[in-house]
């Protein structure tokens, strides 16, 4: 069989760390092929090689049967290969229309920009995915989901023959995912080939014709859905290397009653201009409460106000029956309210510092230290934290930027553990994280809950709310419109309430 794209025995190392050791991959024309694997398995490295961003140390790439050597991403684009990046490639200080046209501007013979043509291109591209944002908005002003959609729109506007999507749905709500999937099926029917990288296994089984699995930098298996059932149980062992006999991340948690537990947090008529309207709820000690609903309905604003990053317009916040005023994040942190933000790289970590520095920073910043830091005690504390969060590799000297996405997220959570959190706010904490790491993260959260830490969790994946929450509050247009408890927390109820179906 002749493949549109083929990779043979690709190898790539970074500073002695092996990212790919034997990657093999084939792609047919008009096919959506999934690429799965744990964080650090080499998926993104592979995608960056075939999009011309990095060069393999060895191995061969073939396009339409002919061997190629991509010298840059511009050469890949000339060969009609486009990539949607997990860590967005947008320019924050440029507008929407400028980002879409960047590098492919319409110009006169004198090199003057044809702005009207550029705006028309942006308009048509946004309409393709039903993205409702202004051409003139700066990217820095957009919500995470809109940035993700813009990244996809930018790639689609290049009319590629091969489209590489690296975690494209990580920031999207399920309605946006459905629109994207409709578009991908349309592209497939028009002969476009798609490589779809995702940790959401249900997405792989829904949209892909076939999948290839990477583990530890090697190709370890393949599932062809034309010949095999669309069953997650076929995929998980390829990712983990273990038989699927462990507790599923999506298994519903046992019902727990908190009626006799101490009331830790009370939010009364919380409002934020144009964002939130009279939000009221309570959380008891050790309870895990979810924020559900369509993406962008005000869930993130609730978390940001409670963490002191955003100022409320009106309303009251009480901790242990006493009203608190959170004018900044420092005041929230001193009260034991900690946020795990939605963008770990920009908001949760110092990427150019090592694991040790990232883990000790909060406690050093909060406490008045002597002139010399107690490094021996801090190293002991960091060693304990690394063991608790199961960091891979367990090396405090490792630069955070060199960790996989899942292990970076472990560091974001781990830095708060030594400060004995009372309330943990989680903004989509497993976005872009593989199955095994997701299990580890939610085990950490469950252990904290059992120790009396109260948790407020927003997750874009309903299955995570079902598996981990004692109650779920449905947010719709800035208001809490429904509370679902215990056995009532299921996919059907979450979707129906999110869409306001009676």
């Amino acid at each position: 069989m002749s493949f549109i794209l083929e990779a043979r025995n690709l190898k790539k190392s970074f500073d002695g760390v092996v990212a790919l050791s034997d990657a093999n991959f084939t792609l047919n024309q008009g096919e959506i092929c999934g690429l799965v694997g744990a964080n650090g398995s080499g998926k993104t490295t592979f995608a960056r090689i075939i999009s011309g961003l990095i060069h393999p140390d060895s191995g061969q790439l073939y396009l339409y049967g002919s061997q190629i050597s991509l010298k840059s991403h511009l050469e890949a684009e000339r060969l009609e290969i486009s990539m949607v990046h997990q860590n967005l490639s947008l320019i924050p200080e440029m507008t929407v229309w400028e980002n879409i046209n960047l590098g492919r501007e319409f110009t006169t013979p004198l090199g003057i920009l044809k702005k009207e043509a550029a705006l028309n291109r942006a308009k048509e591209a946004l309409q393709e995915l039903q993205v409702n944002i202004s051409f003139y908005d700066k990217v820095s002003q957009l919500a995470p989901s809109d940035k993700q959609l813009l990244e996809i729109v930018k790639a689609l506007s290049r009319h590629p023959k091969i489209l590489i999507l690296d975690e494209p749905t990580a920031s999207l709500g399920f309605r946006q995912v459905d629109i994207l999937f409709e578009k991908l099926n349309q592209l497939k029917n028009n002969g476009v080939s798609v490589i779809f990288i995702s940790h959401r296994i249900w997405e792989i089984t829904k949209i892909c014709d076939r999948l290839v699995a990477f583990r530890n930098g090697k190709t370890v298996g393949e599932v062809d859905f034309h010949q095999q059932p669309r069953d997650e149980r076929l995929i998980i062992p390829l990712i983990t290397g273990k038989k699927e006999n462990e507790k599923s991340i999506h298994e519903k948690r046992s019902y727990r009653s908190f009626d006799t537990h101490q009331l830790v947090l009370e939010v009364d008529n919380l409002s934020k201009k144009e964002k939130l309207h009279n939000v009221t709820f309570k959380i008891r000690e050790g309870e895990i409460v979810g924020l559900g609903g369509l993406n962008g309905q005000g869930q993130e604003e609730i978390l940001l106000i409670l963490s002191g990053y955003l100022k409320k317009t009106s309303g009251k916040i009480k901790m242990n029956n006493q009203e608190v005023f959170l004018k900044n994040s420092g005041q929230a942190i001193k009260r034991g309210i900690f946020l795990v933000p939605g963008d770990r790289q920009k908001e949760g970590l110092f990427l150019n510092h090592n694991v040790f520095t990232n883990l000790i920073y909060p406690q050093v910043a909060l406490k008045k230290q002597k002139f010399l830091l107690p490094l021996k005690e801090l190293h002991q504390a960091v060693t304990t934290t690394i063991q608790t969060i199961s960091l891979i590799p367990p090396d405090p000297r490792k630069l955070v930027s060199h960790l996989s996405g899942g292990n970076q997220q472990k560091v974001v959570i781990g830095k708060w553990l030594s400060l004995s959190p009372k309330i943990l706010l989680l903004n989509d904490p497993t976005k872009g994280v593989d199955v095994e790491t997701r299990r580890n993260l939610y085990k950490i959260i469950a252990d904290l809950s059992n120790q009396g830490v109260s948790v407020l969790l927003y997750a874009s994946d309903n299955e995570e709310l079902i598996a981990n929450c004692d109650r779920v509050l449905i947010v719709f247009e800035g208001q809490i419109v429904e509370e679902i408890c215990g056995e009532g927390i299921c996919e059907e109820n979450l979707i129906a309430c999110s869409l306001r179906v009676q």
Side-chain angles (χ1 to χ4, degrees):
M1 175 182 281
S2 179
F3 303 110
I4 187 173
L5 177 71
E6 183 178 7
R8 298 179 190 171
N9 310 116
L10 291 185
K11 295 178 173 62
K12 182 66 181 177
S13 297
F14 298 96
D15 298 325
V17 177
V18 177
L20 290 177
S21 58
D22 187 18
N24 296 276
F25 184 89
T26 59
L27 183 66
N28 298 304
Q29 185 168 4
E31 173 186 53
I32 301 177
C33 183
L35 182 56
V36 300
N39 286 110
S41 62
K43 304 183 304 299
T44 297
T45 299
F46 173 76
R48 288 168 64 82
I49 287 174
I50 60 177
S51 60
L53 289 167
I54 56 177
H55 307 291
D57 297 331
S58 62
Q60 300 85 41
L61 273 180
Y62 295 86
L63 188 66
Y64 303 108
S66 299
Q67 188 169 351
I68 59 170
S69 177
L70 297 174
K71 296 179 174 58
S72 70
H73 73 281
L74 293 175
E75 185 176 348
E77 287 183 3
R78 283 194 292 271
L79 293 171
E80 299 177 301
I81 301 172
S82 286
M83 180 174 175
V84 172
H85 299 263
Q86 180 181 8
N87 299 317
L88 306 183
S89 65
L90 304 171
I91 310 298
E93 293 309 312
M94 295 181 73
T95 63
V96 168
W97 73 266
E98 288 170 336
N99 270 277
I100 291 174
N101 286 278
L102 188 62
R104 308 177 298 131
E105 295 84 354
F106 293 106
T107 58
T108 67
L110 295 177
I112 300 171
L113 177 68
K114 294 181 179 179
K115 186 173 180 181
E116 194 65 34
L119 289 172
N120 286 335
R121 174 192 275 165
K123 179 180 179 181
E124 292 172 6
L126 292 170
Q127 287 176 343
E128 286 284 317
L129 279 184
Q130 303 174 37
V131 183
N132 186 27
I133 55 177
S134 169
F135 309 151
Y136 301 101
D137 283 347
K138 285 188 176 181
V139 168
S140 59
Q141 299 169 337
L142 300 180
S145 60
D146 289 332
K147 291 178 183 177
Q148 185 70 67
L149 287 170
L150 179 57
E151 178 82 6
I152 298 169
V153 163
K154 179 181 173 182
L156 291 179
S157 71
R158 285 163 164 74
H159 305 294
K161 295 295 184 187
I162 297 174
L163 177 64
I164 307 159
L165 299 165
D166 191 2
E167 297 291 346
T169 63
S171 300
L172 304 184
F174 58 82
R175 293 182 83 179
Q176 294 167 318
V177 171
D178 285 343
I179 293 170
L180 174 62
F181 282 7
E182 287 177 14
K183 181 62 181 177
L184 292 182
N185 279 319
Q186 179 186 333
L187 292 170
K188 168 186 158 182
N189 293 334
N190 291 333
V192 176
S193 302
V194 179
I195 299 173
F196 186 86
I197 303 172
S198 179
H199 289 306
R200 295 178 173 181
I201 303 303
W202 71 267
E203 292 181 347
I204 295 288
T205 57
K206 181 177 180 179
I207 192 66
C208 294
D209 303 300
R210 186 170 59 91
L211 71 85
V212 173
F214 281 7
R215 189 168 67 246
N216 297 327
K218 296 180 180 180
T219 302
V220 293
E222 180 180 321
V223 178
D224 187 341
F225 294 127
H226 295 301
Q227 301 175 10
Q228 294 167 278
R230 295 179 179 272
D231 190 341
E232 293 185 12
R233 289 172 294 183
L234 294 175
I235 304 171
I236 302 299
L238 292 174
I239 296 173
T240 63
K242 304 172 185 175
K243 292 183 179 179
E244 185 57 16
N245 55 8
E246 302 176 17
K247 182 178 178 182
S248 169
I249 186 175
H250 295 329
E251 184 176 329
K252 184 173 172 56
R253 74 176 302 132
S254 302
Y255 173 73
R256 305 187 300 174
S257 174
F258 290 85
D259 292 343
T260 60
H261 288 225
Q262 180 183 350
L263 199 58
V264 174
L265 177 68
E266 295 177 79
V267 175
D268 185 26
N269 288 317
L270 186 68
S271 296
K272 174 66 178 175
K273 188 177 181 182
E274 299 180 355
K275 295 290 185 180
L276 298 176
H277 313 285
N278 301 317
V279 170
T280 298
F281 63 91
K282 300 175 181 179
I283 302 179
R284 294 184 179 274
E285 185 180 49
E287 191 176 18
I288 301 178
V289 176
L291 293 175
L294 301 175
N295 196 42
Q297 298 297 304
Q299 301 96 328
E300 188 172 14
E301 284 77 12
I302 292 173
L303 297 176
L304 292 178
I305 289 174
L306 292 177
S307 60
Y309 281 93
L310 202 62
K311 291 184 179 180
K312 59 184 173 63
T313 305
S314 61
K316 292 183 179 180
I317 300 170
K318 290 183 179 180
M319 284 187 69
N320 301 319
N321 295 317
Q322 290 189 338
E323 186 173 2
V324 295
F325 301 91
L326 305 173
K327 296 180 180 179
N328 53 57
S329 58
Q331 292 184 355
I333 290 169
K334 287 177 180 177
R335 294 181 181 277
I337 305 174
F338 303 142
L339 172 70
V340 174
D343 190 331
R344 57 180 168 263
Q345 294 199 345
K346 292 184 179 178
E347 301 168 348
L349 296 166
F350 297 112
L351 290 175
N352 293 325
H353 291 259
N354 61 23
V355 170
F356 176 79
T357 303
N358 275 270
L359 289 177
I360 70 166
Y361 180 78
Q363 52 187 307
V364 171
L366 282 176
K367 297 178 181 178
K368 291 183 178 179
Q369 300 287 346
K370 298 176 181 178
F371 182 72
L372 296 176
L373 292 176
L375 290 178
K376 184 177 180 180
E377 291 85 347
L378 290 173
H379 275 289
Q380 290 173 343
V382 165
T383 299
T384 301
T385 300
I386 287 175
Q387 292 172 347
T388 301
I389 62 178
S390 302
L391 189 70
I392 301 173
D395 182 1
R397 298 166 300 177
K398 189 84 171 175
L399 281 182
V400 168
S401 58
H402 290 178
L403 296 176
S404 67
N407 283 290
Q408 288 180 354
Q409 192 71 324
K410 290 178 183 179
V411 175
V412 176
I413 294 176
K415 70 183 183 182
W416 298 126
L417 298 184
S418 63
L419 297 180
S420 303
K422 295 182 176 63
I423 299 171
L424 190 61
L425 309 173
L426 302 168
N427 187 359
D428 222 358
T430 64
K431 180 171 64 178
V433 169
D434 68 83
V435 174
E436 196 69 21
T437 304
R438 196 175 301 185
R439 285 193 181 115
N440 290 338
L441 289 173
Y442 277 119
K443 183 182 183 301
I444 294 169
I445 293 163
D447 289 344
L448 289 171
S449 167
N450 292 333
Q451 294 165 23
V453 177
S454 302
V455 179
L456 185 60
L457 164 68
Y458 167 60
S460 55
D461 187 343
N462 282 340
E463 293 288 356
E464 295 185 24
L465 298 176
I466 295 167
N468 298 286
C469 294
D470 302 297
R471 286 187 293 133
V472 176
L473 308 174
I474 301 298
V475 186
F476 183 79
E477 294 183 353
Q479 296 178 296
I480 292 178
V481 295
E482 198 77 47
E483 177 179 297
I484 308 175
C485 304
E487 298 302 317
I489 304 175
C490 63
E491 183 78 13
E492 293 78 10
N493 286 345
L494 289 175
I495 291 176
C497 292
S498 298
L499 296 174
R500 306 299 291 135
V501 175
Q502 300 299 321

